Amino acid sequence: MNAKTLEITPVPAFSDNYIWLLTTGGPECAVVDPGDHRPVLEALGRLGLSLQYILLTHHHADHIGGVKGLLEAYPAEVFGPVDSRINQPIRAVSEGARVELPKLGLSFNVLEVPGHTRSHIAFHGEGVLFSGDTLFSIGCGRLFEGTAEQMQQSLDKLAALPATTRIYCGHEYTVSNCAFALEVEPDNAALRVRAQQAEQARQGGECTIPSTLADELAANPFLRTRQEAVVTAARQREPGVAPGAGTMAVIRAWKDEW
Ligand SMILES: [Zn+2]
């Protein structure tokens, strides 16, 4: 397929989750991280789409809880991380695997990005990244199962993707993430602009996702743990802390208690 145009539509679920719906002009579609099958089935019916593929970034219930209900309605192929806690018939994929979605003419590379959970993966390709709960717009996931060192390595891996990559994450957290990030970097002009844009978008009921990797590199403190302003802010809480993983640990803990 040459003339495909990837369209990505948010299907909101729960209070702030996004299930991403992928189409390329035909009736076939894929979804990423369906925590709930009901809004997906509603969207498929409304748009006249047939579900072919399901992509899962990690085992948390708000990302996989809808798989069972979707498979009861559609014989979709499911790709997800190697993790026995995902109690569904999936094709387990790991670092370097290529996920082919031939009915959509799409393919994605699998990146292992532990930190939020130990088996978290991301899907990169077609100019987009599905980052789950690892990289958020102006934030990163909580360290439920991993270390700050692992999160630093995972975010370094994502930071090395093309700067134009559009980032589709699992939650609408941008406004509160910006408020925290401004505590870390009050003088970051790019961050102030993002905060204003996000506030306006949410007041208008709009989704703040996707951002681009370039936007995130300019304003997301968790991608800026070697920048002087972020290291300095971390050192005000923990004197002498090192750039990189040390700074990551301090600002992640700061956000947890914020
Ligand atoms: Zn999660």
Side-chain angles (χ1 to χ4, degrees):
M1 275 173 80
N2 301 321
K4 68 176 162 42
T5 310
L6 171 59
E7 233 187 276
I8 303 175
T9 309
V11 178
F14 310 117
S15 58
D16 50 32
N17 281 73
Y18 286 128
I19 300 165
W20 298 108
L21 173 64
L22 283 60
T23 55
T24 52
E28 298 84 8
C29 72
V31 292
V32 181
D33 284 354
D36 187 354
H37 61 286
R38 290 162 296 186
V40 177
L41 292 175
E42 186 281 322
L44 298 180
R46 177 167 41 84
L47 300 168
L49 297 171
S50 152
L51 183 66
Q52 305 291 328
Y53 308 103
I54 300 172
L55 275 56
L56 306 175
T57 63
H58 67 295
H59 76 283
H60 284 160
D62 62 320
H63 293 252
I64 70 168
V67 172
K68 185 169 183 285
L70 291 174
L71 291 180
E72 283 167 10
Y74 295 93
E77 198 172 348
V78 189
F79 298 91
V82 180
D83 194 316
S84 60
R85 295 171 293 187
I86 300 176
N87 191 18
Q88 293 295 330
I90 70 164
R91 194 187 286 192
V93 290
S94 51
E95 179 79 22
R98 199 155 176 85
V99 170
E100 303 281 353
L101 313 183
K103 290 174 186 166
L104 291 173
L106 302 174
S107 65
F108 297 96
N109 288 319
V110 174
L111 301 167
E112 287 181 359
V113 286
H116 177 66
T117 70
R118 62 174 178 265
S119 64
H120 199 301
I121 58 175
F123 299 92
H124 173 249
E126 318 291 343
V128 306
L129 174 75
F130 295 102
S131 60
D133 288 358
T134 295
L135 175 60
F136 289 124
S137 169
I138 315 294
C140 79
R142 280 176 189 264
L143 298 175
F144 284 123
E145 299 177 5
T147 63
E149 180 76 44
Q150 281 178 318
M151 182 58 88
Q152 181 66 55
Q153 287 174 6
S154 294
L155 294 182
D156 283 345
K157 191 184 283 189
L158 300 182
L161 296 172
T164 53
T165 305
R166 284 172 288 140
I167 315 281
Y168 290 85
C169 56
H171 292 269
E172 178 62 66
Y173 287 160
T174 311
V175 168
S176 65
N177 282 348
C178 283
F180 172 74
L182 282 166
E183 302 246 328
V184 180
E185 274 196 287
D187 298 327
N188 183 323
L191 173 58
R192 287 187 183 182
V193 171
R194 283 291 296 283
Q196 274 177 357
Q197 287 172 339
E199 192 74 51
Q200 276 177 4
R202 294 309 290 157
Q203 278 172 8
E206 291 165 30
C207 172
T208 65
I209 314 298
S211 59
T212 66
L213 182 56
D215 293 335
E216 295 303 317
L217 290 170
N220 185 333
F222 296 96
L223 289 179
R224 297 170 56 77
T225 57
R226 297 182 189 89
Q227 298 290 322
E228 196 180 338
V230 177
V231 176
T232 300
R235 283 179 178 162
Q236 279 164 5
R237 299 180 71 85
E238 195 173 318
V241 74
T247 294
M248 174 72 70
V250 172
I251 61 171
R252 185 57 261 183
W254 179 2
K255 176 107 196 308
D256 288 348
E257 68 193 42
W258 177 68

